[in-house]
Amino acid sequence: MDTYNNEKGNNIMEIPTPQTDDSDTLLAMVLGANMVFPAVLNAAIELNLFEIIAKESNDGFTSAIEIASKLQAQHSDLPNRLERMLCMRASYSLLSVSTRTNDNGSNEAIIDPEIDLFKKVNGISKYEYFGKDQQINRLFNKSMTDTCNVHIKRVLDIYKGFEGLSTSVDVGGGNGQSLKLIIAKYPSIKAINFDLPQVIDNAPPFTDIEHVGGSMFESIPKGDAIILKIDEQCIEILRNCHKAIPPNGKLVEGKELQKNTSLGKQKQAGFSKLQVVCRAFSIVGVMELYK
């Protein structure tokens, strides 16, 4: 049994899960996502980014703007493009993420995961962009459906937390495929699929699933279990999840677990207890959060 970070004495406990060999599935998923990283790594090598970072870093710090200034080819959007490359390299542990305080007292992000880089480059969030481009919207929804199918099928093999529930709301549920698999195993559950209107408009009808369009930043339909599969740390969304569940309800969250997992923003949103109930594919944890 593992215990993750505690905050003011509140431990996050993990309930032991029987070990299974998911290596073949994990390998297939990694291979499917391996097209972008080699291209970014090759570009970094051709641009001598590693050498520039090693040479120009000040006490281990350097920023995308500083790196861009050392490149021969200049472009108005070059720092933003470099920042995206640096974020990907950091996700593969080739770089680390940190911040520093400038002389004027402001903080400069070296690689800041809180920045919405898509919005920074395109002027609107990716979800707003998907609403304007139907081809991209359909492609994104299909990819999310395919990924969810793999994850949710494995989760349903080992997670028993849907037993006895009356209403489940899948926040960002796409076309409702995850709920379809859930209610196939737990037919007594009233299922609500909640997503952006442009997603719901293209969702296929299911007899036992109610499709509801809206914004998770504004409000979320009520249910005794709210399902949040995206790795979402936005306090607004977490607070809306907290409001949507009754005193004895729960937020069921699926995300990649790390040793520094803590209540963090979940506590700021009003949740007082978190437990890791099970793991799928060794790294994806199913967590239950309570009021």
Side-chain angles (χ1 to χ4, degrees), residues 174-187:
N175 65 7
Q177 184 63 31
S178 294
L179 283 174
K180 182 181 178 182
L181 295 171
I182 291 172
I183 62 177
K185 187 170 183 178
Y186 302 99

Side-chain angles (χ1 to χ4, degrees), residues 185-258:
K185 187 170 183 178
Y186 302 99
S188 63
I189 291 178
K190 177 186 176 183
I192 299 176
N193 180 47
F194 180 68
D195 213 316
L196 293 170
Q198 67 262 23
V199 177
I200 295 301
D201 289 345
N202 293 290
F206 294 124
T207 303
D208 299 318
I209 297 177
E210 179 185 359
H211 293 300
V212 177
S215 171
M216 64 183 77
F217 291 96
E218 297 175 0
S219 64
I220 291 171
K222 296 185 181 299
D224 54 351
I226 305 297
I227 304 169
L228 192 63
K229 298 186 297 295
I230 54 177
D231 188 6
E232 185 55 73
Q233 292 295 302
C234 176
I235 293 180
E236 287 180 88
I237 296 175
L238 291 171
R239 282 176 179 162
N240 287 335
C241 288
H242 186 270
K243 293 176 184 177
I245 60 176
N248 61 344
K250 61 185 176 182
L251 171 63
V252 180
E253 189 174 4
K255 63 183 294 185
E256 182 176 336
L257 291 176
Q258 299 175 349

